[in-house]
Amino acid sequence: MLIDEIIAFLKGLDGWSFLAYFWPFFLFDFTRYVLLDLVIIPRYLWRRARGARRQQAARRALFKERPLVSVIAPGKNEGKHIPKLIQSLGRQSYRHVEIIIVDDGSDDDTPGICRRLLNAGKIDRFVRNEIRGGKASAANTALNYINGAYVVHLDADSHLAPDAIEQILLPFYLDSNVGAVGGDIRVANNLLSFATRLQTIEYLKALSTGRTVNSELDILRIIAGAFGAFRTDILRRLGGWDVGPGLDGDITVKIRKLGYRVVHRPEAACYTNVPDTFRKLAKQRYRWDRSMVRFRMRKHADILTPNANFRLSNFLASAENIFYNLILDAKWWIYIVQLSILFPRHLPVVLVINYLLYALSSAIEYFVALMLLGRSRRPVETAMAWYLPLAPLYTGVYLRTVRTFAYLMELLHRASYHDRWNPWKVSSIAKRNKL
Amino acid sequence: MSHPAFISEHHTAHQQTDIDVPAVEREHLGDTDVAEVSYWLVDARDWAAGQRALASIRQNPCPHVYLKPVVLITADSTLPAKVRDTADLHVNIDGFRGKLPDAAEARFQSIRNYIAGLPDAIESSDKTLSFRVLRFLASRDNALQAHMTADHHAGFVYPALLPFFTEQDNSHLQVLEFLESQRLIRGEFQARAHLCRQCGCAFLNFTEACPDCASPNLHVDELIHHFRCAHTAPMDEFRQQGELVCPKCDHNLQHIGVDYDKPSMTYQCNSCNSRFQDPVIVSTCFNCGHSAEPEQQTHQEIKRYNLTSIGRNAAIYGLDNLFTQLLENEITLQPFPVFRQFLQVEVARIKRYALSASSLLFIDLEDLDKLYLSVGRRAGEVFGELGALFRAVLRDSDVISSRSESVFVILLTETSDSAAQIALQRLTQGIRDLLTANLEYDPKIRHRIVGVDAMLDLDAVTEAFLKDHAD
Ligand SMILES: [Zn+2]
Ligand SMILES: [Zn+2]
Ligand SMILES: [Zn+2]
């Protein structure tokens, strides 16, 4: 039996040979994810509990100053989502907001829906660009119409927890050097399909826990466009967002380069709809993964080289990302080759053990995330535990395949420049200028 | 032998022309054998005098005078429409030797035929204005068109009707509305206008204004989207010494559509600095200064009018059935012969069962068309309410008929004289309440109650009641 075989195999191993068989897990994934989670998240929770007074003081300062916050939601053909978004904005504990919707050349009934909301006084500004300019240009259009001291960037197909705006603003009052804050993106359509269930687990691990850990280590490298808060003066200094895809990571790096801190706020919950089929999901990830190559290695390569603006944490933020995603992506294929050449006889057993190890670490990360979510955790999120055994298949096989393909395409063909995500005119300019 | 006639204020006017036609001073129109006049010539070279002459024709009560074609003699071939269309034709003094174009001659002949066909053409003096207008429209068998004008408060006039009125105000529009409400003419869409909600004036100034502070002091600019850096800002921020330079990435902008485009317009308020894409539109009345969003102003449909077949009939035989049309929405008006039969049955019944009594009630709402003019476009509603009142007071077993536009005769079955008094009291009080309370209009109501018995002669009492009215 396989189990007997596994036990027999494990009994025959000493420490070093164990490492030789399972080095990718212990050297990289376990230390980087599980171990760090187990150290950083309890530390974060402990400090949060101890810092309750500081949090209270920041909250009082926020409500005393009551800065105007400009909520911007740029997008194309998002009209159908806007009413729900507006509803969740209407229930916020922090109410001094103005809402600016930018319609990036929609060809559906978005303008009609938004004009009705405008006339009903539900939104403050509606701006329509007749010619689609892409996400960056739409967000930058919004910057012309804002009056707030802070900008909250939202994806139209998401909605916020009732205290989300308050929570995402607090870091600015906890540390005046904070330039931008990322909100906690969670899955809204958890139960829609198998794909959305697995993404729920992934988001909890990678976004809620992963970004909190990165933030604590001061190597946070992306603020989600779905829910991010920015100081208006910094956005103006930068001239807003640059051409996407990957504009969220891009602007985060630029803010870091200016010397500001960028933090994640796990308590600021934003619920978003994720792709409901594996096919749609693959397309989305293909786009995301290519932008990693483009932005880390091409556009912001200067971070990796010593110069006058060099900061260690910026270097680490970028290097960690490149190392763990791009370089370690290759390690897997090396590992598989290594196993098949050196231990072809034990290949099935080693793979099964690997699977169990990853399933176990997935479970640990998942429960750490549930702990982190604390009171904002929803029953559906806890119920996803049943799907944990499938997590390694999802992350290890499905996502890895998409990612590898994306990296290869981008490195070899610069495929992202042909992305339909941007209007073709914008893409061709970006390619010509190696942006 | 018919002939044209010159209308003048004094004899000098036509002596300055070579046209050899008899002249009639406008003060002496009544002394002329008007039936012999084929059309009127009016010297319109002095438009004020021409207007006076034209008015004296159209305001004359005799159909041979006011319905006759009028030809304006002018020195100017490019008359403004508001002048040209007040008459049937205009001719240039230089070319005119008393001969009309064939088309005009044919048109005039059909007008003369119409006048000749009126049953009471000579004796009739068409005193009510609405009736004269109706006959005028019937004699000219084409649609009455509205003309845009800056001279008139409402922005639109029907020039051909203006000479009928001494006051150049809204009266002619009210007469048309009245005729339409009586279904004598039918209006169809010709144009639409925004009128001031406060004073009805058509002259509104439309301006764009700031949605935040309502100031009309706005700066408009185009947004520019620079492709290479995604910078999107007003064009002003890109201007540098006659060139467009991106303030974010310092690159020159070369060709629209290649390295940049203009996705939308943007407004900035010079008063409060707020920026927005859609200014609000404010309309301000030139006459009374009232400001409102265009949707809040009165939206008036301007109509062109055609005679209905009822109207064509009424133009020949008189306005006997106006209010009745509206009343019929609420109650069933029996034709008078049918009413007479009902009454005969009732008389026979009463004769057989000597115990019961019924009453005949006459009601005359005098000056109904004046009432119309005073309530304007709300007449439909008012008359509808009057109808509802009739319906509320009368029972289903009562029979009602009308003898003219304003005279009603009602058979109240199983109703004694005193009970009929009560019904009459409720009806007249209701009418008075409705009209005085809502319109401050005190209606003249004549009435009479006649007991129904074997001796009753319906036609005689009806004639007697109508005759009293004439006195
Ligand atoms: Zn007015
Ligand atoms: Zn203003
Ligand atoms: Zn630029």
Side-chain angles (χ1 to χ4, degrees), chain A residues 323-343:
Chain A
F323 184 74
Y324 272 87
N325 285 302
L326 188 69
I327 313 272
L328 290 195
D329 189 55
K331 109 208 150 194
W332 261 101
W333 308 111
I334 297 169
Y335 181 54
I336 301 285
V337 171
Q338 177 208 357
L339 288 179
S340 8
I341 295 172
L342 296 182
F343 329 102

Side-chain angles (χ1 to χ4, degrees), chain B residues 43-276:
Chain B
D43 188 350
R45 285 175 298 176
D46 171 2
W47 177 230
Q51 245 178 333
R52 281 194 298 274
L54 188 52
S56 62
I57 295 167
R58 298 298 192 224
Q59 288 173 24
N60 188 292
C62 172
H64 277 289
V65 179
Y66 79 86
L67 288 179
K68 283 273 162 65
V70 173
V71 176
L72 296 181
I73 295 184
T74 67
D76 188 353
S77 55
T78 57
L79 279 184
K82 62 176 185 185
V83 172
R84 194 181 62 215
D85 293 335
T86 50
D88 296 280
L89 186 70
H90 63 98
V91 292
N92 198 300
I93 181 112
D94 295 331
F96 186 64
R97 293 291 174 272
K99 174 88 178 94
L100 296 176
D102 289 347
E105 191 53 66
R107 196 148 56 84
F108 286 8
Q109 189 54 51
S110 88
I111 294 172
R112 285 191 292 268
N113 293 345
Y114 182 84
I115 299 170
L118 293 175
D120 50 355
I122 289 296
E123 312 86 59
S124 159
S125 49
D126 300 343
K127 283 200 180 99
T128 73
L129 206 42
S130 34
F131 186 63
R132 272 190 287 142
V133 168
L134 183 68
R135 276 201 157 165
F136 178 77
L137 296 178
S139 65
R140 274 86 179 148
D141 202 13
N142 44 16
L144 181 69
Q145 300 271 358
H147 284 265
M148 277 178 112
T149 173
D151 293 343
H152 197 273
H153 191 65
F156 280 90
V157 286
Y158 297 86
L161 298 190
L162 289 175
F164 283 84
F165 296 82
T166 40
E167 300 292 329
Q168 300 298 291
D169 54 12
N170 281 338
S171 321
H172 77 294
L173 303 178
Q174 287 170 357
V175 165
L176 287 170
E177 280 179 30
F178 169 64
L179 294 175
E180 189 186 19
S181 77
Q182 302 303 314
R183 289 182 260 169
L184 300 167
I185 58 175
R186 187 186 303 111
E188 60 182 46
F189 178 85
Q190 183 186 337
R192 191 175 291 284
H194 286 78
L195 305 183
C196 171
R197 183 175 53 174
Q198 197 131 299
C199 74
C201 178
F203 300 95
L204 300 172
N205 186 27
F206 289 84
T207 47
E208 293 168 318
C210 170
D212 294 338
C213 76
S215 165
N217 184 4
L218 305 179
H219 174 68
V220 59
D221 201 355
E222 286 170 303
L223 276 192
I224 282 190
H225 166 207
H226 190 212
F227 294 162
R228 61 169 290 136
C229 72
H231 192 54
T232 307
M235 198 180 212
D236 278 352
E237 295 179 17
F238 286 79
R239 284 187 219 279
Q240 258 180 44
Q241 287 128 28
E243 290 188 308
L244 293 176
V245 178
C246 177
K248 177 173 171 181
C249 69
D250 286 331
H251 278 79
N252 274 49
L253 273 56
Q254 306 287 347
H255 306 287
I256 185 159
V258 176
D259 58 348
Y260 73 97
D261 59 22
K262 298 172 174 178
S264 57
M265 303 292 286
T266 180
Y267 287 82
Q268 183 154 34
C269 173
N270 287 331
S271 303
C272 74
N273 277 327
S274 88
R275 192 175 273 289
F276 44 89

Side-chain angles (χ1 to χ4, degrees), chain B residues 200-408:
Chain B
C201 178
F203 300 95
L204 300 172
N205 186 27
F206 289 84
T207 47
E208 293 168 318
C210 170
D212 294 338
C213 76
S215 165
N217 184 4
L218 305 179
H219 174 68
V220 59
D221 201 355
E222 286 170 303
L223 276 192
I224 282 190
H225 166 207
H226 190 212
F227 294 162
R228 61 169 290 136
C229 72
H231 192 54
T232 307
M235 198 180 212
D236 278 352
E237 295 179 17
F238 286 79
R239 284 187 219 279
Q240 258 180 44
Q241 287 128 28
E243 290 188 308
L244 293 176
V245 178
C246 177
K248 177 173 171 181
C249 69
D250 286 331
H251 278 79
N252 274 49
L253 273 56
Q254 306 287 347
H255 306 287
I256 185 159
V258 176
D259 58 348
Y260 73 97
D261 59 22
K262 298 172 174 178
S264 57
M265 303 292 286
T266 180
Y267 287 82
Q268 183 154 34
C269 173
N270 287 331
S271 303
C272 74
N273 277 327
S274 88
R275 192 175 273 289
F276 44 89
Q277 192 177 46
D278 297 313
V280 293
I281 307 294
V282 173
S283 57
T284 307
C285 175
F286 277 105
N287 184 50
C288 73
H290 176 72
S291 275
E293 287 178 19
E295 300 76 54
Q296 305 298 318
Q297 305 284 24
T298 306
H299 288 228
Q300 177 86 28
E301 187 177 302
I302 310 298
K303 297 169 175 174
R304 79 168 66 83
Y305 290 101
N306 282 296
L307 238 63
T308 63
S309 48
I310 306 172
R312 211 176 305 285
N313 214 46
I316 297 172
Y317 303 109
L319 296 172
D320 273 350
N321 53 349
L322 295 182
F323 171 38
T324 54
Q325 306 263 350
L326 278 161
L327 194 58
E328 271 192 311
N329 294 335
E330 291 290 338
I331 51 179
T332 313
L333 278 183
Q334 301 297 344
F336 202 67
V338 176
F339 183 84
R340 189 183 287 121
Q341 281 173 8
F342 267 112
L343 189 64
Q344 281 163 3
V345 172
E346 183 68 5
V347 167
R349 198 180 66 85
I350 286 171
K351 219 162 153 184
R352 195 180 307 161
Y353 307 101
L355 286 173
S356 57
S358 293
S359 302
L360 209 52
L361 172 60
F362 289 91
I363 288 195
D364 182 6
L365 306 171
E366 288 180 285
D367 297 328
L368 210 58
D369 79 36
K370 276 197 198 121
L371 168 65
Y372 188 88
L373 292 182
S374 78
V375 296
R377 66 172 63 95
R378 290 187 52 209
E381 271 170 61
V382 173
F383 287 177
E385 287 198 50
L386 282 175
L389 184 69
F390 271 82
R391 185 194 166 94
V393 172
L394 303 178
R395 298 164 304 178
D396 285 344
S397 57
D398 296 336
V399 184
I400 178 164
S401 180
S402 68
R403 273 305 291 178
S404 79
E405 165 60 14
S406 62
V407 176
F408 299 92

